[in-house]
Amino acid sequence: MTRNSDTQYDHTREEKYALMPQLMWQPDEDTHLILKAYLQKDPSGGYHGSVLGDGSLSEHNGYKLSNGFYEGNSSLDQFKRREHIYSYDFAHRFNDVWSFSSTGSYSHSNVDLDQVYQIGWDAVNPDLLNRYYSDERSSLAGWATDNRLQAEFATGKVEHRVTIGAEYHRYKSEISSAADSASQLNAVTGEQVGAIPAYSWSDETRRYYQTGLYLQDEMKLDRWHLDLSGRYDRIVANNSGNDRRQDDHISGRAALLYAFDNGISPYVSWARRSPQRH
C-alpha cells in the first residue's frame, strides 16, 4: 500500500508506505503455522496544526487568511513514523482429546515529531500570531504471547472442553520531549518575528509487564451449557526506574445457559475480581 499526496495547507504533504506479507505452513490437517508481518513507513504525516476561526471564517484586521495558510515552521516541522509488527499463529492437534495452540507478536515503532503551532493573535500587533513549539522522539517495543492446551472429553453424559492457558506481555516505551514558546509569525508577510529559543529536553522510560494464568471448563449436558473459569494476573509497571507498581489479580466467572429450540437462550452469569496491590 502506498499513499503520496499534497494537503490543503502549504509546505505539508502526506506520504505512507506499507507492506503486509504472510506465509502459511500446513504439513497436515492437524498442524498449521502462519507467519505475518506488517511494515509501515510514514516519511511525512501531513498537517497537524490549526487555523483560527478569526481570520479564516471571518475577517481579522481587515483581511482573511488563505485556504492554504500555514502557521508552522517548514524548516522545523515534521512527523515521521516507522512501525514493524511480526506475529505467528501455531496450532497442533495431538489426538481426539488434546490440542495445543500458540499466538504471539512483536512490535516496534518510532515517531519523530516537531511542531510549531499558533496559540492566538498577539494583543499588541494584530498581524502577529503567537506560537508554541513541541517536540518528541518516542519508541515503543512490545512482545506478547498466549499459549493454550485444550482437552475435549466426556464424563458420562457431560461434554467438557477444558482450556489451560498462560500469556505474557512486555512493553517498553522511551520518550524524549521538549516544549516552549516559539517565535511569532507575521500572518500578512509570512515572516518569522524573533529568534527560535533553545529548548531543553527531558527523557522518560516506561516498562510494563503482565503475566496471566487461566483455566476454563465449558460443559454441555443436553441443552444446558455451564462455563466455569478462573484467572490469575500479575501486572508490574515501572516508570524511569523510580516509580514501581505491582498488582496481583485473581478473578473468576460462572455462566449458565439453556438453549431452546426456538433460538431463545436465557442465561445467568457471575464474575468476581479481587485485586491486591504491592
Side-chain angles (χ1 to χ4, degrees):
M1 179 183 72
T2 63
R3 180 177 182 180
N4 196 327
S5 67
D6 293 324
T7 71
Q8 173 184 331
Y9 303 96
D10 298 335
H11 310 295
T12 61
R13 57 185 296 103
E14 294 182 5
E15 190 176 358
K16 175 184 291 187
Y17 306 94
L19 182 64
M20 296 171 283
Q22 177 175 308
L23 175 65
M24 180 176 181
W25 177 62
Q26 189 172 13
D28 54 60
E29 62 180 8
D30 294 324
T31 307
H32 76 255
L33 173 64
I34 302 175
L35 302 177
K36 299 179 182 179
Y38 179 80
L39 313 175
Q40 178 176 323
K41 181 178 181 181
D42 301 347
S44 182
Y47 180 71
H48 294 271
S50 63
V51 181
L52 286 168
D54 180 17
S56 58
L57 299 177
S58 60
E59 288 190 353
H60 171 80
N61 200 30
Y63 60 87
K64 290 185 70 174
L65 303 172
S66 67
N67 291 334
F69 178 76
Y70 172 72
E71 88 286 7
N73 185 329
S74 59
S75 64
L76 187 62
D77 289 352
Q78 67 167 341
F79 179 85
K80 298 180 178 179
R81 176 172 55 193
R82 296 166 298 280
E83 183 176 10
H84 295 173
I85 302 176
Y86 307 96
S87 63
Y88 74 89
D89 183 342
F90 174 77
H92 176 69
R93 174 168 288 278
F94 299 100
N95 49 47
D96 292 339
V97 176
W98 293 99
S99 63
F100 173 78
S101 61
S102 177
T103 56
S105 65
Y106 171 79
S107 60
H108 187 273
S109 64
N110 294 91
V111 173
D112 297 337
L113 171 66
D114 292 277
Q115 184 177 6
V116 176
Y117 53 94
Q118 62 83 16
I119 55 173
W121 294 106
D122 186 76
V124 178
N125 187 338
D127 289 336
L128 296 182
L129 273 173
N130 296 317
R131 300 191 298 177
Y132 201 79
Y133 168 77
S134 64
D135 172 277
E136 186 174 286
R137 302 288 182 270
S138 62
S139 68
L140 174 65
W143 164 255
T145 182
D146 188 8
N147 304 279
R148 300 165 298 278
L149 184 63
Q150 191 172 92
E152 298 181 36
F153 58 93
T155 55
K157 295 182 178 181
V158 180
E159 299 177 10
H160 295 263
R161 180 185 294 166
V162 177
T163 303
I164 304 171
E167 61 177 322
Y168 179 71
H169 303 262
R170 177 173 182 163
Y171 303 97
K172 179 182 178 182
S173 173
E174 296 179 300
I175 302 174
S176 297
S177 60
D180 207 337
S181 298
S183 59
Q184 293 179 305
L185 177 69
N186 189 310
V188 177
T189 64
E191 296 179 356
Q192 297 188 60
V193 179
I196 299 176
Y199 302 104
S200 58
W201 291 73
S202 62
D203 300 325
E204 185 176 26
T205 300
R206 301 172 182 172
R207 291 180 171 86
Y208 171 88
Y209 310 89
Q210 179 177 348
T211 303
L213 303 173
Y214 55 91
L215 173 64
Q216 178 175 285
D217 188 359
E218 303 172 69
M219 292 169 276
K220 179 182 177 184
L221 175 61
D222 193 20
R223 300 183 182 277
W224 290 98
H225 299 258
L226 174 63
D227 291 353
L228 300 175
S229 64
R231 182 181 177 97
Y232 166 78
D233 287 284
R234 168 164 289 184
I235 302 172
V236 178
N238 196 320
N239 189 0
S240 297
N242 300 320
D243 183 16
R244 185 181 185 277
R245 172 177 170 175
Q246 176 179 312
D247 293 313
D248 293 333
H249 298 267
I250 299 175
S251 58
R253 186 179 70 90
L256 180 64
L257 177 147
Y258 187 85
F260 287 99
D261 286 335
N262 57 12
I264 297 177
S265 301
Y267 72 93
V268 292
S269 64
W270 172 90
R272 183 176 182 181
R273 187 179 185 186
S274 128
Q276 298 179 357
R277 182 176 299 177
H278 302 280

